[in-house]
């Protein structure tokens, strides 16, 4: 009635008169309850006069019987949300509540109602409440005092935060407000199981921390409390205290901290020197950093003490002497403390490093052992890394610049040391020094490059060599002229020198170093011609290791391509320089195949073409659509029409016709791999000229070619284009054509394997994009599992469908890959696999198991866990299969499930133990290793389930301890050790 306007609230009050005036408090309570429920739904409809009368009525009722109070508070909560509340009424209501209601004697819900009333008024009547002055703060302190419920505490803490943040008057009640909130510190709350409210301990910790760290007025009370709790035996209390102190430093100044700095430093130092907990150490260092930053922010006047200076002096006094003992356990804690303090500000950094760096340089000279020098240099490196935060160094303010010569001397000596570990730290230090703008002089830079070249090429240990190459890659963009002028020519010279006794490994390293240093466009323009020249040299030779050399060059070119991808100019230069050159060399080799069988033969080998594919792909994926369209207009006509005019050195002995028939063209057909690398990496928005013709040619080649490599490549290229092809009639026609070619080929004839390969790749292309035809093709694949000849290969095809493909049909080459395609494939096809398994004859059952294990192996584990109960019996049956691929795939599927679904797996523990132990004697090493890992993972099941099997497993695992393969023995030791510890105290 009130909502519809047929009743006013005052009429409702009159109608409830007999209830509201009844002598029985329960009856009065029911009347007020009804009125309050109406108000909670209709408060927005009330008039100002009605609100005034209702407020007076409800205030008066606060003096009523305690049974009535909860309903009165609900009514006041409704009125606190009214927009038409007259000035002064909010204050009046709160005064009445503070005076008449003993809040902490109420139930949780009613206390929550009081907090809601206060929150509502603070949100809408802030100025009125501030007019109460400190009385409002005192009233709230009385309301909150003694609160225990976490739901209410979250609201109460928010009110305190608002009191402080909105500058309500605290008056003489600062300490009382601190006491009423700090009594909960540190929070000790564990939510009950199945808690419907979802309040976590962390919620309360953060909410209370926000209160305690909200005002410097709490500092004199809070800091002693935090120091006391930092000395607690409870790690959680230590961590909470440290995190709270760190938060406080953001708003404190010198005045608040001054009195407590000695005690704070003493506690922090003790914790870092003595703690066994990495968490506590990390929080102590963060707190020290915050304290140093806080003191750094303070503005100094001429008559005040520089607290930062005296604080850092204390730290230096307690830590500096430990740096002289690189073999003692306090050396690293001391270095970390100094670095934490120094990293807070430039002023702190200069104060600490001016004292510490000369000492470390002196200690490096004093200690001749490599292990000691490594420790000292790692400490020095920590301080050098801090300098990176401050950017460019000024001569007059940098203690580091004044030490340029000894620092460089120490780092260069580390690079020349025989200890690999010291070299590695030296290389890291070199990288940092190079990143400090203005630190390295031109002569030092030349020395840096010389050291990096020596380490990259001559150092026996591969770790140092790789680290030196990485360092060169990091520094090259900062000093491109130095590296292109000094390093690239040296590497080119080494590459051309053919010292037979060392040339193979040296040439390999030169190629890797050329790629590593190509991290700037100007350097790429120097290194790419060198790498391509190397390829041409190999093409003309006829040594047995040519293929290996070409693969090495291609790997280097691939790395350069990846490093160019984010730079549009470098990417286009690379594409124009490399792709036509690779195509020209491959064409030359293919055309010479019939006349000069040895010349350029290396470029046509499968492993070499496979190495060229990622080079061309990486050079294409990041091209802009405009540049990609420019490139595709040359490359597609090259393969379809033999249009070679855009290639360098384009005088070929015969025409290029890779899609024509003829045995002499077999070498040319292999180059379809390079076409695949290019067209399958183009952005989807780039139109491919003569696409329909190209697809038909690829389809024909994939079905008719006798060379498995060429047929597979053509099938992949066809699939890559189909996946990106715009939906419509043209796509439907080409797919129908493919089906018409595949089905007869699969049925009979000499090229069933080629037809299966094409089926697999086209199915994958369509499954990824959710094309309707994918279901029909998948069903065809399922039917082939029952084929005696093609069944095993069809089963392995399920791995191809589910796995990430490295060269085509992945997101990196812009393929159309829908989200959760694996889950969808699983849902649609696993029931069919299971059904087919049960219906299949004994000769082909293994094919269904193999297909199933491949699907499950690539499925996200959370999805697999939910389906586990229905599939586990089949997986256990798969372990009995004699096919080692099925065994291996099933074991790799079961291992994570033992960790993620222990309750379900426990139900089958007897079968699992028997199967795993049996497979530890498999003739296949990979199966033995996987079985031992599963036996190891079994220990994650409930101990009570496993104890009956403990002795049996330990006995059985003694045999693989003597396995002839080291990797098997290693897994056996780990698994048996866990089973020995099963049931031990603390496990």
């Amino acid at each position: 009635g009130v909502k519809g306007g047929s009743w006013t609230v005052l009429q409702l009050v009159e109608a409830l008169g007999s209830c509201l005036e009844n002598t029985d408090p329960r009856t009065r309570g029911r009347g007020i309850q009804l009125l309050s429920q109406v108000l909670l739904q209709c408060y927005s409809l009330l008039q100002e006069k009605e609100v005034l009368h209702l407020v007076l009525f409800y205030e008066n009722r606060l003096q009523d019987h305690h049974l009535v109070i909860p309903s009165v508070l609900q009514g006041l909560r409704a009125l606190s949300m009214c927009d038409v509340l007259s000035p002064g009424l909010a204050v009046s209501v709160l005064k009445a509540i503070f005076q008449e209601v003993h809040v902490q004697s109420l139930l949780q819900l009613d206390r929550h109602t009081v907090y809601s009333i206060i929150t509502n008024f603070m949100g809408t009547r802030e100025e009125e409440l501030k007019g109460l002055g400190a009385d409002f703060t005192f009233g709230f302190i009385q309301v909150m005092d003694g609160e225990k419920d976490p739901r209410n505490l979250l609201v109460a803490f928010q009110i305190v935060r608002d009191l402080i943040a909105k500058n309500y008057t605290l008056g003489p009640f600062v300490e009382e407000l601190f006491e009423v909130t700090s009594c909960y510190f540190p929070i000790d709350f564990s939510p009950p199981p199945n808690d419907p409210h979802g309040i976590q301990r962390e919620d309360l910790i953060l909410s209370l921390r926000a209160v305690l760290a909200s005002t410097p007025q709490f500092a004199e009370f809070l800091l002693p409390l935090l120091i006391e709790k930092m000395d607690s035996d409870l790690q959680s209390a230590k961590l909470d205290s440290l995190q709270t102190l760190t938060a406080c430093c953001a708003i404190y100044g010198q005045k608040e901290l001054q009195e407590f700095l000695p005690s704070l430093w003493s506690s922090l130092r003790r914790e870092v020197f003595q703690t066994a907990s990495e968490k506590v150490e990390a929080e102590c260092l963060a707190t020290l950093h915050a304290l140093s930053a806080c003191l750094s922010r303070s503005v100094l006047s001429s008559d005040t003490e520089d607290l930062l200076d005296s604080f850092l002096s204390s730290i230096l006094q307690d830590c500096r002497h430990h740096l002289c003992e690189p073999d003692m356990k306090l050396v690293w804690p001391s270095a970390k403390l100094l670095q934490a303090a120094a990293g807070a500000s430039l002023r702190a950094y200069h104060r600490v490093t001016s004292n510490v760096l000369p000492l470390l340089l002196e200690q490096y000279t004093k200690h001749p052992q490599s292990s000691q020098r490594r420790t000292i240099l790692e400490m020095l490196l920590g301080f050098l890394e801090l300098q990176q935060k401050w950017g460019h160094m000024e001569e007059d303010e940098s203690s580091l610049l004044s030490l340029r010569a000894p620092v460089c001397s120490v780092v260069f000596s580390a690079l020349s040391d025989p200890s690999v570990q010291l070299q590695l730290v030296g290389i890291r230090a070199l990288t940092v020094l190079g990143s400090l703008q203005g630190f390295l002089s031109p002569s030092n830079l030349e020395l840096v490059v010389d050291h990096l070249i020596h380490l990259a090429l001559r150092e026996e240990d591969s770790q140092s060599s790789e680290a030196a190459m990485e360092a060169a890659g990091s520094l090259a963009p900062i000093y491109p002229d130095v590296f292109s002028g000094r390093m690239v020519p040296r590497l080119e010279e080494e590459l051309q020198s053919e010292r037979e006794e060392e040339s193979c490994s040296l040439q390999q390293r030169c190629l890797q170093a050329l790629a590593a240093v190509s991290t700037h466009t100007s350097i790429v323009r120097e290194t790419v011609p060198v790498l391509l020249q190397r390829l041409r040299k190999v093409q003309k030779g006829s040594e047995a290791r040519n293929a290996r050399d070409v693969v090495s060059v291609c790997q280097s070119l691939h790395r350069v391509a990846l490093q160019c991808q984010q730079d549009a100019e470098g990417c286009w230069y690379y594409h124009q320089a490399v792709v036509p050159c690779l195509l020209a060399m491959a064409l030359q080799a293919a055309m010479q195949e019939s006349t000069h069988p040895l010349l350029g033969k290396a470029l046509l080998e499968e492993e070499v073409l496979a190495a060229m594919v990622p080079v061309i792909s990486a050079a294409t994926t990041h091209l802009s659509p405009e540049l990609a369209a420019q490139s595709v207009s040359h490359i597609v006509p090259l393969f379809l029409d033999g249009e070679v005019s855009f290639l360098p050195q384009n005088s070929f002995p015969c025409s290029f016709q890779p899609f024509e028939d003829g045995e002499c063209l077999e070498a040319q057909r292999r180059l379809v791999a390079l076409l695949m690398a290019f067209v399958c990496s183009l952005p989807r928005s780039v139109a491919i000229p003569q696409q329909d013709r190209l697809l038909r040619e690829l389809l024909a080649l994939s079905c008719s070619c006798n060379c498995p490599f060429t047929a597979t490549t053509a099938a992949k290229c066809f699939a890559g284009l189909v996946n990106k092809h715009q939906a419509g009639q043209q796509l439907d026609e080409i797919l129908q054509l493919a089906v018409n070619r595949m089905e007869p080929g699969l049925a009979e004839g000499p090229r069933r394997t080629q037809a299966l390969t094409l089926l697999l790749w086209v199915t994958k292309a369509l499954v990824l994009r959710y094309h309707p035809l994918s279901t029909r093709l998948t069903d065809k694949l399922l039917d082939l599992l029952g084929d005696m000849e093609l069944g095993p290969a069809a089963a392995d095809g399920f791995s191809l469908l589910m796995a990430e493909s490295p060269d085509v049909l992945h997101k990196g080459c812009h393929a159309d890959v829908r989200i959760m395609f694996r889950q969808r494939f699983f849902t649609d096809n696993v029931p069919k696999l299971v059904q087919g398994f049960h219906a299949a004859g004994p000769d082909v059952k293994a094919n269904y198991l193999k297909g199933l294990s491949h699907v499950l192996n690539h499925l996200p584990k959370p999805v697999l866990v939910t389906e586990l109960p229905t599939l586990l019996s089949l997986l256990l049956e798969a372990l009995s299969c004699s096919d080692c691929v099925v065994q291996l795939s099933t074991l790799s599927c079961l291992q994570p499930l033992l960790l993620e679904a222990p309750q379900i797996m426990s139900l089958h523990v007897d079968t699992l133990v028997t199967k795993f132990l049996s497979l530890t004697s498999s003739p296949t090493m990979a199966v033995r290793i996987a079985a031992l890992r599963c036996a190891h993972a079994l220990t994650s099941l409930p101990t009570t389930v496993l104890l009956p099997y403990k002795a049996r497993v330990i006995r059985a695992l003694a045999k693989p301890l003597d396995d002839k393969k080291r990797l098997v023995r290693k897994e056996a030791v780990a698994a048996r050790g866990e089973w020995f510890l099963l049931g031990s105290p603390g496990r």
Side-chain angles (χ1 to χ4, degrees), residues 195-505:
D195 179 21
H197 309 293
I199 295 175
Q200 299 298 313
R201 180 168 175 269
E202 193 65 20
D203 299 329
L204 289 165
I205 287 174
L206 294 175
S207 190
L208 177 56
R209 185 176 301 150
V211 171
L212 297 178
S214 61
T215 173
Q217 294 180 74
F218 284 167
E220 61 179 301
F221 316 114
L222 177 60
L223 289 173
L225 174 66
L226 294 179
I227 292 167
E228 177 194 332
K229 298 300 180 187
M230 278 161 65
D231 298 342
S232 162
D233 293 332
L234 282 174
Q235 181 173 308
S236 59
K238 285 185 195 290
L239 291 171
D240 202 353
S241 303
L242 290 163
Q243 288 163 354
T244 304
L245 179 54
T246 302
C248 289
C249 288
I251 61 159
Y252 286 4
Q254 287 206 21
K255 180 165 68 76
E256 286 77 26
L257 291 172
Q258 183 167 7
E259 180 188 342
F260 303 99
L261 281 174
S263 301
L264 288 169
W265 164 237
S266 174
S267 296
L268 291 171
R269 182 191 63 217
R270 187 187 63 252
E271 287 302 328
V272 173
F273 279 179
Q274 296 178 5
T275 187
S277 164
E278 288 182 12
K279 278 187 184 175
V280 172
E281 182 189 86
E283 289 300 338
C284 284
L285 296 174
T287 302
L288 182 59
H289 182 279
L291 282 169
S292 182
C294 177
L295 297 174
S296 302
R297 282 195 305 271
S298 302
V299 178
L300 297 176
S301 57
S302 56
D303 57 342
T304 56
E305 179 192 356
D306 184 354
L307 275 185
L308 176 67
D309 190 69
S310 56
F311 183 59
L312 294 175
S313 295
S314 302
I315 298 171
L316 284 163
Q317 184 181 337
D318 291 343
C319 295
R320 189 177 183 274
H321 59 282
H322 291 303
L323 304 185
C324 304
E325 303 163 335
D327 293 326
M328 306 303 281
K329 73 171 192 173
L330 291 182
V331 64
W332 269 116
S334 299
K336 287 176 183 176
L337 286 165
L338 287 164
Q339 286 164 7
S345 68
L346 193 53
R347 190 153 64 100
Y349 180 77
H350 290 321
R351 176 71 177 86
V352 173
T353 53
S354 62
N355 202 293
V356 169
L357 291 187
L359 175 69
L360 289 175
L361 294 168
E362 178 193 324
Q363 292 302 311
Y364 186 92
T365 312
K366 273 188 181 177
H367 292 85
Q369 286 184 23
S370 294
S371 60
Q372 296 171 325
R373 287 189 159 191
R374 177 189 164 196
T375 301
I376 295 164
L377 187 55
E378 281 186 322
M379 291 190 287
L380 181 65
L381 175 60
F383 288 103
L384 294 177
E385 285 171 337
L386 291 176
Q387 175 69 58
Q388 289 177 304
K389 291 169 67 175
W390 318 120
H392 191 73
M393 294 179 293
E394 299 297 335
E395 195 77 50
D396 58 340
E397 62 176 25
S398 173
S399 51
L400 191 55
L401 266 183
S402 61
L403 298 168
R404 183 189 341 227
V407 167
C408 286
S409 171
V410 160
V411 173
F412 291 151
S413 83
L415 298 176
S416 310
D417 196 274
S419 164
V420 172
Q421 296 306 315
L422 182 52
Q423 283 177 9
L424 291 173
V425 181
I427 292 167
R428 282 165 53 209
L430 196 63
T431 310
V432 174
L433 290 181
S435 69
L436 300 176
Q437 197 178 354
F439 184 82
L440 293 175
S441 65
S443 59
N444 280 335
L445 270 173
E446 290 180 359
L447 264 176
V448 166
V449 173
D450 292 345
H451 274 291
L452 289 176
I453 292 170
H454 178 80
L455 287 165
L457 302 186
R458 307 289 173 193
E459 179 54 48
E460 286 182 19
D461 189 89
S462 61
Q463 269 184 293
S464 293
S465 174
E466 287 165 16
M469 291 182 201
E470 290 296 328
S474 301
L475 296 177
I478 307 172
Y479 310 103
D481 295 342
V482 179
F483 278 86
S484 60
R486 193 171 183 87
M487 189 167 190
V488 176
R490 286 274 298 279
L491 292 172
E492 184 178 5
E493 186 184 317
E494 291 284 0
L495 201 55
Q496 289 169 351
S497 65
E498 294 286 350
R499 290 186 288 271
E500 196 56 49
E501 70 281 358
E502 61 172 354
S503 62
C504 189
S505 64

Side-chain angles (χ1 to χ4, degrees), residues 521 560-571 618 621-623:
T521 304
V560 177
L562 294 175
Q563 289 164 186
C564 286
Q565 284 179 339
Q566 303 310 317
D567 173 48
E569 182 195 344
C571 188
T621 52
H622 284 64
L623 287 181

Side-chain angles (χ1 to χ4, degrees), residues 899 931-940 957 971 974-975 978-979:
L899 305 172
L932 287 165
R933 286 176 179 164
C934 285
H936 189 165
L938 273 174
T939 57
S940 62
L957 292 180
E971 294 295 341
E978 281 299 315
W979 276 90

Side-chain angles (χ1 to χ4, degrees), residues 701-878:
L701 184 60
S702 68
C703 294
S704 62
C705 184
N706 292 319
C707 170
F709 175 79
T710 304
T712 302
T713 305
K716 288 162 75 171
C717 190
F718 179 83
L721 292 173
V722 161
N723 173 264
K724 296 182 193 177
H725 200 297
Q726 199 169 354
Q729 185 182 351
Q730 203 176 7
L731 176 62
D732 295 341
E733 286 174 5
I734 203 73
L735 287 174
Q736 189 56 53
L737 191 65
V739 171
N740 294 343
R741 292 294 292 266
M742 281 188 287
E743 287 185 339
L746 288 166
E748 58 185 4
R751 295 197 177 93
R752 295 186 77 201
T753 304
Q754 284 95 319
L756 175 60
T757 301
L758 180 62
L759 172 66
L760 287 169
W761 283 103
V762 174
T763 304
K764 183 177 178 74
L766 300 182
V767 163
L768 292 179
R769 64 179 281 178
Y770 290 176
H771 192 280
L773 185 62
S774 63
T775 305
R776 178 180 161 190
L777 297 184
T778 309
D779 288 343
K780 184 68 186 168
L781 194 58
L782 288 164
D783 292 341
L784 287 171
L785 292 174
D787 187 291
M788 291 297 291
E789 181 190 350
L790 293 181
D796 284 331
F798 281 90
S799 175
L800 185 149
L801 294 181
M802 299 293 281
E804 187 85 9
S805 173
D807 43 11
V808 294
L809 296 176
H810 60 87
K811 285 187 176 177
C813 64
H814 312 290
D816 186 354
V817 181
R818 301 299 173 87
I819 191 168
M820 296 172 71
F821 78 89
R822 291 185 179 88
Q823 288 90 318
R824 180 169 175 165
F825 187 86
F826 171 87
T827 307
D828 290 347
N829 296 294
V830 164
K832 296 176 187 175
L833 274 168
V834 174
Q835 189 180 347
F837 168 80
H838 290 305
D843 294 342
V844 293
K845 273 187 182 291
N847 297 336
Y848 289 90
L849 286 175
K850 189 191 285 189
L852 177 67
S853 61
H854 283 315
V855 173
L856 299 182
N857 235 336
H858 292 95
L859 200 66
K861 291 301 174 276
V863 180
L864 187 51
V865 167
T866 60
E867 301 292 338
L868 190 57
T870 57
L871 294 171
L872 192 53
S873 59
L874 210 57
L875 285 171
L876 295 175
E877 196 166 338

